[in-house]
Amino acid sequence: MPVGTLYGISVGPGDPELLTLKGLRLLKQAPVVAFPAGVGGQPGIAQQIIAKWLRQEQIQLPLTFPYVQDDHLLMQAWKAAAGQVWHYLSQGTDVAFACEGDVGFYSTFTYLAQTLQHLHPSVEIQIVPGVSSPLAAAAVLGLPLTLRHQRLVILPALYTATDLENVLGWAEVLVLLKVNSVYKQVWEILHRLQLLERSFIVERATQAGQVIHHNLVEKPNLDLPYFSLLIVQAEKPIR
Ligand SMILES: C[S@@+](CC[C@H](N)C(=O)[O-])C[C@H]1O[C@@H](n2cnc3c(N)ncnc32)[C@H](O)[C@@H]1O
């Protein structure tokens, strides 16, 4: 029996209308729709985004991906999730995995897909790109993310103060993801480099509860949610 296809569907940053037409079509067609399980019994963000598009007869498959750094625990979780998805694929049933933002941009989907490919090399995977958070945040700020020849750097959470200063000596536009856990240190560095007036934060871009912070000079102590990012638009590299 031919195996089913796993579709990695980018569902965008929050507003359900930011799902692509192709993503929506494949999501509606799939007999099984998987997504990262929420924490504390709450629906996860991808699940919330797609909720209005799902049909009752579709099987919903929440998959658990723990927020830990331990490689062994992560591997176990990816294998368990791959097993749950393979259960359907091996019977010839397609599975659509919904992922917040874009599936290829710092996304859980990649680990699931790689684990599946490793365990079952015959598996067929198709990816549907989508709107990722830096572009959504720039749009809600009413700014272009980049212009002309500006150099753009995007850093995930695990950067050091030195990384940040080096990058700011080189790039004109900087995006910091997962800034909530390191905001205080970032604020100090931007303050020292006199960049706070050229920095913006968007909390929950395009989601209910979206908040925008312009000019961070007066805001050294923001309590930010996980879905927050910071954009620095330095006119030119600092050095
Ligand atoms: C693991 S990354 C996932 C990125 C996602 N795949 C994307 O394409 O945007 C999670 C980080 O992305 C950023 N992020 C994702 N969605 C966001 C949103 N709607 N508003 C603000 N930041 C967001 C936050 O910095 C968050 O900590």
Side-chain angles (χ1 to χ4, degrees):
M1 181 197 293
V3 297
T5 298
L6 173 65
Y7 295 95
I9 314 270
S10 306
V11 300
D15 179 347
E17 292 194 340
L18 291 176
L19 192 48
T20 64
L21 293 177
K22 181 164 185 169
L24 183 56
R25 175 175 59 79
L26 291 169
L27 201 62
K28 284 180 165 174
Q29 278 174 6
V32 180
V33 178
F35 39 76
V39 282
Q42 298 296 310
I45 186 71
Q47 186 182 1
Q48 292 175 42
I49 294 170
I50 60 172
K52 68 186 276 189
W53 306 123
L54 295 183
R55 290 175 289 110
Q56 236 180 355
E57 57 273 26
Q58 286 177 299
I59 296 171
Q60 297 193 25
L61 186 63
L63 300 173
T64 302
F65 301 101
Y67 291 93
V68 293
Q69 300 292 332
D70 182 319
D71 284 349
H72 180 68
L73 286 179
L74 287 171
M75 192 75 77
Q76 271 186 332
W78 299 333
K79 277 191 179 159
Q84 287 174 271
V85 171
W86 182 248
H87 169 77
Y88 293 100
L89 296 179
S90 61
Q91 295 172 30
T93 305
D94 293 342
V95 177
F97 182 90
C99 180
E100 195 264 349
D102 184 279
V103 286
F105 186 69
Y106 299 111
S107 157
T108 326
F109 176 76
T110 306
Y111 307 115
L112 173 65
Q114 286 178 348
T115 308
L116 258 172
Q117 270 165 335
H118 177 72
L119 296 173
H120 308 286
S122 66
V123 70
E124 166 110 20
I125 295 177
Q126 286 188 30
I127 288 174
V128 181
V131 179
S132 70
S133 53
L135 291 163
V140 303
L141 285 166
L143 297 171
L145 186 59
T146 52
L147 275 176
R148 293 168 56 86
H149 304 296
Q150 287 182 325
R151 284 164 294 197
L152 165 69
V153 171
I154 299 177
L155 294 181
L158 302 172
Y159 45 81
T160 62
T162 320
D163 280 348
L164 198 49
E165 289 184 47
N166 286 342
V167 164
L168 285 168
W170 177 83
E172 284 98 3
V173 181
L174 172 64
V175 177
L176 300 181
L177 302 178
K178 299 186 185 167
V179 68
N180 60 319
S181 54
V182 287
Y183 178 65
K184 185 71 185 159
Q185 298 95 294
V186 170
W187 189 91
E188 297 291 348
I189 295 167
L190 296 177
H191 179 57
R192 186 149 33 83
L193 298 174
Q194 300 191 327
L195 283 172
L196 288 169
E197 285 177 10
R198 307 192 65 82
S199 300
F200 311 87
I201 288 182
V202 183
E203 300 179 22
R204 304 186 184 92
T206 83
Q207 299 171 11
Q210 171 183 290
V211 178
I212 296 174
H213 301 278
H214 295 269
N215 185 356
L216 303 178
V217 177
E218 305 292 333
K219 301 180 176 174
N221 295 311
L222 290 176
D223 185 14
L224 299 169
Y226 173 76
F227 286 106
S228 304
L229 61 75
L230 187 148
I231 299 180
V232 184
Q233 293 206 312
E235 240 165 350
K236 49 188 171 191
I238 307 308
R239 270 188 246 126

PDB file of all heavy atoms in Angstrom, residues 134-166:
ATOM      1  N   PRO A 134       8.925  37.939  11.517  1.00  0.00           N
ATOM      2  CA  PRO A 134       9.571  39.233  11.264  1.00  0.00           C
ATOM      3  C   PRO A 134       8.825  40.061  10.213  1.00  0.00           C
ATOM      4  O   PRO A 134       8.679  41.279  10.350  1.00  0.00           O
ATOM      5  CB  PRO A 134      10.970  38.835  10.763  1.00  0.00           C
ATOM      6  CG  PRO A 134      11.204  37.488  11.371  1.00  0.00           C
ATOM      7  CD  PRO A 134       9.868  36.824  11.353  1.00  0.00           C
ATOM      8  N   LEU A 135       8.312  39.396   9.181  1.00  0.00           N
ATOM      9  CA  LEU A 135       7.586  40.120   8.131  1.00  0.00           C
ATOM     10  C   LEU A 135       6.224  40.589   8.641  1.00  0.00           C
ATOM     11  O   LEU A 135       5.782  41.697   8.331  1.00  0.00           O
ATOM     12  CB  LEU A 135       7.455  39.248   6.881  1.00  0.00           C
ATOM     13  CG  LEU A 135       8.825  39.040   6.216  1.00  0.00           C
ATOM     14  CD1 LEU A 135       8.807  37.877   5.262  1.00  0.00           C
ATOM     15  CD2 LEU A 135       9.274  40.304   5.507  1.00  0.00           C
ATOM     16  N   ALA A 136       5.588  39.744   9.449  1.00  0.00           N
ATOM     17  CA  ALA A 136       4.294  40.148  10.022  1.00  0.00           C
ATOM     18  C   ALA A 136       4.493  41.340  10.962  1.00  0.00           C
ATOM     19  O   ALA A 136       3.700  42.289  10.950  1.00  0.00           O
ATOM     20  CB  ALA A 136       3.679  38.977  10.781  1.00  0.00           C
ATOM     21  N   ALA A 137       5.557  41.308  11.767  1.00  0.00           N
ATOM     22  CA  ALA A 137       5.801  42.399  12.728  1.00  0.00           C
ATOM     23  C   ALA A 137       6.087  43.703  11.986  1.00  0.00           C
ATOM     24  O   ALA A 137       5.567  44.764  12.344  1.00  0.00           O
ATOM     25  CB  ALA A 137       6.965  42.033  13.654  1.00  0.00           C
ATOM     26  N   ALA A 138       6.901  43.637  10.932  1.00  0.00           N
ATOM     27  CA  ALA A 138       7.184  44.843  10.147  1.00  0.00           C
ATOM     28  C   ALA A 138       5.884  45.394   9.562  1.00  0.00           C
ATOM     29  O   ALA A 138       5.647  46.608   9.581  1.00  0.00           O
ATOM     30  CB  ALA A 138       8.183  44.523   9.039  1.00  0.00           C
ATOM     31  N   ALA A 139       5.026  44.498   9.098  1.00  0.00           N
ATOM     32  CA  ALA A 139       3.755  44.944   8.496  1.00  0.00           C
ATOM     33  C   ALA A 139       2.883  45.653   9.528  1.00  0.00           C
ATOM     34  O   ALA A 139       2.311  46.704   9.239  1.00  0.00           O
ATOM     35  CB  ALA A 139       3.023  43.742   7.891  1.00  0.00           C
ATOM     36  N   VAL A 140       2.787  45.106  10.746  1.00  0.00           N
ATOM     37  CA  VAL A 140       1.916  45.778  11.721  1.00  0.00           C
ATOM     38  C   VAL A 140       2.543  47.081  12.216  1.00  0.00           C
ATOM     39  O   VAL A 140       1.842  47.997  12.633  1.00  0.00           O
ATOM     40  CB  VAL A 140       1.499  44.874  12.917  1.00  0.00           C
ATOM     41  CG1 VAL A 140       0.811  43.629  12.455  1.00  0.00           C
ATOM     42  CG2 VAL A 140       2.662  44.539  13.815  1.00  0.00           C
ATOM     43  N   LEU A 141       3.856  47.190  12.128  1.00  0.00           N
ATOM     44  CA  LEU A 141       4.519  48.459  12.468  1.00  0.00           C
ATOM     45  C   LEU A 141       4.351  49.481  11.340  1.00  0.00           C
ATOM     46  O   LEU A 141       4.659  50.664  11.512  1.00  0.00           O
ATOM     47  CB  LEU A 141       6.019  48.229  12.707  1.00  0.00           C
ATOM     48  CG  LEU A 141       6.403  47.569  14.036  1.00  0.00           C
ATOM     49  CD1 LEU A 141       7.849  47.083  13.994  1.00  0.00           C
ATOM     50  CD2 LEU A 141       6.203  48.539  15.189  1.00  0.00           C
ATOM     51  N   GLY A 142       3.937  49.003  10.173  1.00  0.00           N
ATOM     52  CA  GLY A 142       3.796  49.891   9.013  1.00  0.00           C
ATOM     53  C   GLY A 142       5.141  50.261   8.425  1.00  0.00           C
ATOM     54  O   GLY A 142       5.293  51.316   7.816  1.00  0.00           O
ATOM     55  N   LEU A 143       6.128  49.368   8.601  1.00  0.00           N
ATOM     56  CA  LEU A 143       7.488  49.645   8.112  1.00  0.00           C
ATOM     57  C   LEU A 143       7.914  48.565   7.130  1.00  0.00           C
ATOM     58  O   LEU A 143       7.496  47.410   7.272  1.00  0.00           O
ATOM     59  CB  LEU A 143       8.488  49.585   9.281  1.00  0.00           C
ATOM     60  CG  LEU A 143       8.332  50.601  10.404  1.00  0.00           C
ATOM     61  CD1 LEU A 143       9.253  50.229  11.553  1.00  0.00           C
ATOM     62  CD2 LEU A 143       8.657  51.997   9.870  1.00  0.00           C
ATOM     63  N   PRO A 144       8.775  48.909   6.188  1.00  0.00           N
ATOM     64  CA  PRO A 144       9.405  47.826   5.426  1.00  0.00           C
ATOM     65  C   PRO A 144      10.442  47.184   6.346  1.00  0.00           C
ATOM     66  O   PRO A 144      11.052  47.883   7.170  1.00  0.00           O
ATOM     67  CB  PRO A 144      10.100  48.561   4.273  1.00  0.00           C
ATOM     68  CG  PRO A 144      10.309  49.946   4.776  1.00  0.00           C
ATOM     69  CD  PRO A 144       9.257  50.238   5.812  1.00  0.00           C
ATOM     70  N   LEU A 145      10.625  45.873   6.244  1.00  0.00           N
ATOM     71  CA  LEU A 145      11.663  45.260   7.087  1.00  0.00           C
ATOM     72  C   LEU A 145      13.039  45.709   6.614  1.00  0.00           C
ATOM     73  O   LEU A 145      13.915  46.012   7.429  1.00  0.00           O
ATOM     74  CB  LEU A 145      11.533  43.735   7.038  1.00  0.00           C
ATOM     75  CG  LEU A 145      12.457  42.968   7.986  1.00  0.00           C
ATOM     76  CD1 LEU A 145      12.221  43.363   9.446  1.00  0.00           C
ATOM     77  CD2 LEU A 145      12.277  41.473   7.823  1.00  0.00           C
ATOM     78  N   THR A 146      13.233  45.749   5.309  1.00  0.00           N
ATOM     79  CA  THR A 146      14.516  46.182   4.738  1.00  0.00           C
ATOM     80  C   THR A 146      14.268  47.029   3.496  1.00  0.00           C
ATOM     81  O   THR A 146      13.224  46.918   2.855  1.00  0.00           O
ATOM     82  CB  THR A 146      15.354  44.957   4.298  1.00  0.00           C
ATOM     83  OG1 THR A 146      14.533  44.145   3.467  1.00  0.00           O
ATOM     84  CG2 THR A 146      15.864  44.167   5.475  1.00  0.00           C
ATOM     85  N   LEU A 147      15.276  47.823   3.158  1.00  0.00           N
ATOM     86  CA  LEU A 147      15.214  48.663   1.960  1.00  0.00           C
ATOM     87  C   LEU A 147      16.567  48.625   1.256  1.00  0.00           C
ATOM     88  O   LEU A 147      17.598  48.429   1.914  1.00  0.00           O
ATOM     89  CB  LEU A 147      14.967  50.120   2.359  1.00  0.00           C
ATOM     90  CG  LEU A 147      13.538  50.582   2.583  1.00  0.00           C
ATOM     91  CD1 LEU A 147      13.556  52.031   3.067  1.00  0.00           C
ATOM     92  CD2 LEU A 147      12.736  50.497   1.297  1.00  0.00           C
ATOM     93  N   ARG A 148      16.554  48.887  -0.028  1.00  0.00           N
ATOM     94  CA  ARG A 148      17.783  49.033  -0.811  1.00  0.00           C
ATOM     95  C   ARG A 148      18.802  47.940  -0.471  1.00  0.00           C
ATOM     96  O   ARG A 148      18.474  46.778  -0.554  1.00  0.00           O
ATOM     97  CB  ARG A 148      18.357  50.438  -0.618  1.00  0.00           C
ATOM     98  CG  ARG A 148      17.436  51.512  -1.225  1.00  0.00           C
ATOM     99  CD  ARG A 148      17.811  52.900  -0.801  1.00  0.00           C
ATOM    100  NE  ARG A 148      19.188  53.234  -1.115  1.00  0.00           N
ATOM    101  CZ  ARG A 148      19.609  53.713  -2.271  1.00  0.00           C
ATOM    102  NH1 ARG A 148      18.746  53.930  -3.231  1.00  0.00           N
ATOM    103  NH2 ARG A 148      20.863  53.979  -2.472  1.00  0.00           N
ATOM    104  N   HIS A 149      20.003  48.323  -0.028  1.00  0.00           N
ATOM    105  CA  HIS A 149      21.040  47.310   0.194  1.00  0.00           C
ATOM    106  C   HIS A 149      21.216  46.980   1.676  1.00  0.00           C
ATOM    107  O   HIS A 149      22.258  46.459   2.069  1.00  0.00           O
ATOM    108  CB  HIS A 149      22.375  47.792  -0.378  1.00  0.00           C
ATOM    109  CG  HIS A 149      22.285  48.143  -1.826  1.00  0.00           C
ATOM    110  ND1 HIS A 149      21.989  47.203  -2.795  1.00  0.00           N
ATOM    111  CD2 HIS A 149      22.388  49.321  -2.468  1.00  0.00           C
ATOM    112  CE1 HIS A 149      21.938  47.803  -3.974  1.00  0.00           C
ATOM    113  NE2 HIS A 149      22.176  49.087  -3.805  1.00  0.00           N
ATOM    114  N   GLN A 150      20.229  47.291   2.496  1.00  0.00           N
ATOM    115  CA  GLN A 150      20.387  47.065   3.940  1.00  0.00           C
ATOM    116  C   GLN A 150      20.653  45.597   4.248  1.00  0.00           C
ATOM    117  O   GLN A 150      20.017  44.712   3.686  1.00  0.00           O
ATOM    118  CB  GLN A 150      19.113  47.496   4.670  1.00  0.00           C
ATOM    119  CG  GLN A 150      18.957  48.995   4.737  1.00  0.00           C
ATOM    120  CD  GLN A 150      17.713  49.383   5.508  1.00  0.00           C
ATOM    121  OE1 GLN A 150      16.687  48.696   5.446  1.00  0.00           O
ATOM    122  NE2 GLN A 150      17.788  50.494   6.206  1.00  0.00           N
ATOM    123  N   ARG A 151      21.591  45.395   5.168  1.00  0.00           N
ATOM    124  CA  ARG A 151      21.886  44.022   5.589  1.00  0.00           C
ATOM    125  C   ARG A 151      21.008  43.676   6.786  1.00  0.00           C
ATOM    126  O   ARG A 151      20.935  44.426   7.750  1.00  0.00           O
ATOM    127  CB  ARG A 151      23.369  43.896   5.962  1.00  0.00           C
ATOM    128  CG  ARG A 151      24.252  43.845   4.727  1.00  0.00           C
ATOM    129  CD  ARG A 151      25.683  44.101   5.068  1.00  0.00           C
ATOM    130  NE  ARG A 151      25.840  45.472   5.536  1.00  0.00           N
ATOM    131  CZ  ARG A 151      27.005  46.092   5.607  1.00  0.00           C
ATOM    132  NH1 ARG A 151      28.109  45.481   5.237  1.00  0.00           N
ATOM    133  NH2 ARG A 151      27.076  47.330   6.048  1.00  0.00           N
ATOM    134  N   LEU A 152      20.362  42.521   6.676  1.00  0.00           N
ATOM    135  CA  LEU A 152      19.420  42.069   7.709  1.00  0.00           C
ATOM    136  C   LEU A 152      20.014  40.869   8.441  1.00  0.00           C
ATOM    137  O   LEU A 152      20.509  39.936   7.807  1.00  0.00           O
ATOM    138  CB  LEU A 152      18.110  41.639   7.029  1.00  0.00           C
ATOM    139  CG  LEU A 152      17.131  40.813   7.864  1.00  0.00           C
ATOM    140  CD1 LEU A 152      16.518  41.645   8.986  1.00  0.00           C
ATOM    141  CD2 LEU A 152      16.011  40.254   6.975  1.00  0.00           C
ATOM    142  N   VAL A 153      19.955  40.905   9.772  1.00  0.00           N
ATOM    143  CA  VAL A 153      20.366  39.741  10.567  1.00  0.00           C
ATOM    144  C   VAL A 153      19.203  39.356  11.474  1.00  0.00           C
ATOM    145  O   VAL A 153      18.589  40.222  12.090  1.00  0.00           O
ATOM    146  CB  VAL A 153      21.611  40.062  11.428  1.00  0.00           C
ATOM    147  CG1 VAL A 153      21.897  38.939  12.413  1.00  0.00           C
ATOM    148  CG2 VAL A 153      22.826  40.271  10.527  1.00  0.00           C
ATOM    149  N   ILE A 154      18.925  38.072  11.518  1.00  0.00           N
ATOM    150  CA  ILE A 154      17.898  37.565  12.439  1.00  0.00           C
ATOM    151  C   ILE A 154      18.582  36.630  13.428  1.00  0.00           C
ATOM    152  O   ILE A 154      19.283  35.704  13.009  1.00  0.00           O
ATOM    153  CB  ILE A 154      16.789  36.810  11.674  1.00  0.00           C
ATOM    154  CG1 ILE A 154      16.101  37.768  10.691  1.00  0.00           C
ATOM    155  CG2 ILE A 154      15.777  36.208  12.647  1.00  0.00           C
ATOM    156  CD1 ILE A 154      15.032  37.141   9.829  1.00  0.00           C
ATOM    157  N   LEU A 155      18.413  36.913  14.720  1.00  0.00           N
ATOM    158  CA  LEU A 155      19.043  36.058  15.732  1.00  0.00           C
ATOM    159  C   LEU A 155      17.961  35.353  16.544  1.00  0.00           C
ATOM    160  O   LEU A 155      17.014  35.990  16.992  1.00  0.00           O
ATOM    161  CB  LEU A 155      19.893  36.899  16.691  1.00  0.00           C
ATOM    162  CG  LEU A 155      21.129  37.581  16.115  1.00  0.00           C
ATOM    163  CD1 LEU A 155      21.852  38.355  17.206  1.00  0.00           C
ATOM    164  CD2 LEU A 155      22.074  36.562  15.502  1.00  0.00           C
ATOM    165  N   PRO A 156      18.131  34.038  16.754  1.00  0.00           N
ATOM    166  CA  PRO A 156      17.224  33.334  17.665  1.00  0.00           C
ATOM    167  C   PRO A 156      17.628  33.646  19.103  1.00  0.00           C
ATOM    168  O   PRO A 156      18.480  34.489  19.334  1.00  0.00           O
ATOM    169  CB  PRO A 156      17.446  31.868  17.312  1.00  0.00           C
ATOM    170  CG  PRO A 156      18.850  31.830  16.824  1.00  0.00           C
ATOM    171  CD  PRO A 156      19.146  33.158  16.197  1.00  0.00           C
ATOM    172  N   ALA A 157      17.060  32.973  20.055  1.00  0.00           N
ATOM    173  CA  ALA A 157      17.234  33.355  21.462  1.00  0.00           C
ATOM    174  C   ALA A 157      18.661  33.269  21.967  1.00  0.00           C
ATOM    175  O   ALA A 157      19.104  34.100  22.730  1.00  0.00           O
ATOM    176  CB  ALA A 157      16.357  32.471  22.334  1.00  0.00           C
ATOM    177  N   LEU A 158      19.369  32.254  21.549  1.00  0.00           N
ATOM    178  CA  LEU A 158      20.623  31.961  22.231  1.00  0.00           C
ATOM    179  C   LEU A 158      21.776  32.784  21.676  1.00  0.00           C
ATOM    180  O   LEU A 158      22.648  32.269  21.003  1.00  0.00           O
ATOM    181  CB  LEU A 158      20.936  30.456  22.116  1.00  0.00           C
ATOM    182  CG  LEU A 158      19.843  29.563  22.692  1.00  0.00           C
ATOM    183  CD1 LEU A 158      20.121  28.108  22.371  1.00  0.00           C
ATOM    184  CD2 LEU A 158      19.739  29.763  24.193  1.00  0.00           C
ATOM    185  N   TYR A 159      21.756  34.080  21.921  1.00  0.00           N
ATOM    186  CA  TYR A 159      22.873  34.905  21.509  1.00  0.00           C
ATOM    187  C   TYR A 159      23.490  35.535  22.747  1.00  0.00           C
ATOM    188  O   TYR A 159      22.841  35.710  23.762  1.00  0.00           O
ATOM    189  CB  TYR A 159      22.440  35.981  20.527  1.00  0.00           C
ATOM    190  CG  TYR A 159      21.179  36.685  20.912  1.00  0.00           C
ATOM    191  CD1 TYR A 159      21.209  37.711  21.843  1.00  0.00           C
ATOM    192  CD2 TYR A 159      19.957  36.299  20.386  1.00  0.00           C
ATOM    193  CE1 TYR A 159      20.047  38.348  22.222  1.00  0.00           C
ATOM    194  CE2 TYR A 159      18.807  36.926  20.776  1.00  0.00           C
ATOM    195  CZ  TYR A 159      18.844  37.940  21.686  1.00  0.00           C
ATOM    196  OH  TYR A 159      17.699  38.559  22.073  1.00  0.00           O
ATOM    197  N   THR A 160      24.769  35.897  22.639  1.00  0.00           N
ATOM    198  CA  THR A 160      25.449  36.518  23.773  1.00  0.00           C
ATOM    199  C   THR A 160      25.508  38.023  23.523  1.00  0.00           C
ATOM    200  O   THR A 160      25.271  38.490  22.409  1.00  0.00           O
ATOM    201  CB  THR A 160      26.885  35.996  23.877  1.00  0.00           C
ATOM    202  OG1 THR A 160      27.555  36.374  22.663  1.00  0.00           O
ATOM    203  CG2 THR A 160      26.932  34.487  24.028  1.00  0.00           C
ATOM    204  N   ALA A 161      25.876  38.781  24.556  1.00  0.00           N
ATOM    205  CA  ALA A 161      26.015  40.235  24.414  1.00  0.00           C
ATOM    206  C   ALA A 161      27.054  40.543  23.333  1.00  0.00           C
ATOM    207  O   ALA A 161      26.878  41.459  22.531  1.00  0.00           O
ATOM    208  CB  ALA A 161      26.423  40.835  25.742  1.00  0.00           C
ATOM    209  N   THR A 162      28.116  39.734  23.291  1.00  0.00           N
ATOM    210  CA  THR A 162      29.169  39.975  22.288  1.00  0.00           C
ATOM    211  C   THR A 162      28.620  39.759  20.882  1.00  0.00           C
ATOM    212  O   THR A 162      28.896  40.542  19.976  1.00  0.00           O
ATOM    213  CB  THR A 162      30.361  39.001  22.518  1.00  0.00           C
ATOM    214  OG1 THR A 162      30.559  38.886  23.903  1.00  0.00           O
ATOM    215  CG2 THR A 162      31.601  39.465  21.816  1.00  0.00           C
ATOM    216  N   ASP A 163      27.843  38.687  20.708  1.00  0.00           N
ATOM    217  CA  ASP A 163      27.210  38.429  19.396  1.00  0.00           C
ATOM    218  C   ASP A 163      26.418  39.645  18.957  1.00  0.00           C
ATOM    219  O   ASP A 163      26.511  40.098  17.813  1.00  0.00           O
ATOM    220  CB  ASP A 163      26.178  37.293  19.492  1.00  0.00           C
ATOM    221  CG  ASP A 163      26.813  35.939  19.478  1.00  0.00           C
ATOM    222  OD1 ASP A 163      28.006  35.853  19.166  1.00  0.00           O
ATOM    223  OD2 ASP A 163      26.099  34.969  19.799  1.00  0.00           O
ATOM    224  N   LEU A 164      25.645  40.138  19.889  1.00  0.00           N
ATOM    225  CA  LEU A 164      24.745  41.241  19.573  1.00  0.00           C
ATOM    226  C   LEU A 164      25.539  42.484  19.161  1.00  0.00           C
ATOM    227  O   LEU A 164      25.229  43.130  18.163  1.00  0.00           O
ATOM    228  CB  LEU A 164      23.910  41.527  20.820  1.00  0.00           C
ATOM    229  CG  LEU A 164      22.641  42.314  20.665  1.00  0.00           C
ATOM    230  CD1 LEU A 164      21.797  41.753  19.551  1.00  0.00           C
ATOM    231  CD2 LEU A 164      21.859  42.275  21.977  1.00  0.00           C
ATOM    232  N   GLU A 165      26.586  42.792  19.907  1.00  0.00           N
ATOM    233  CA  GLU A 165      27.386  43.977  19.589  1.00  0.00           C
ATOM    234  C   GLU A 165      28.104  43.781  18.258  1.00  0.00           C
ATOM    235  O   GLU A 165      28.187  44.718  17.453  1.00  0.00           O
ATOM    236  CB  GLU A 165      28.371  44.265  20.721  1.00  0.00           C
ATOM    237  CG  GLU A 165      27.615  44.769  21.940  1.00  0.00           C
ATOM    238  CD  GLU A 165      28.508  45.179  23.085  1.00  0.00           C
ATOM    239  OE1 GLU A 165      29.479  45.908  22.843  1.00  0.00           O
ATOM    240  OE2 GLU A 165      28.231  44.748  24.215  1.00  0.00           O
ATOM    241  N   ASN A 166      28.614  42.580  18.000  1.00  0.00           N
ATOM    242  CA  ASN A 166      29.283  42.322  16.715  1.00  0.00           C
ATOM    243  C   ASN A 166      28.316  42.526  15.554  1.00  0.00           C
ATOM    244  O   ASN A 166      28.644  43.156  14.558  1.00  0.00           O
ATOM    245  CB  ASN A 166      29.813  40.883  16.653  1.00  0.00           C
ATOM    246  CG  ASN A 166      31.035  40.709  17.509  1.00  0.00           C
ATOM    247  OD1 ASN A 166      31.671  41.708  17.880  1.00  0.00           O
ATOM    248  ND2 ASN A 166      31.360  39.483  17.863  1.00  0.00           N
TER     249      ASN A 166
END
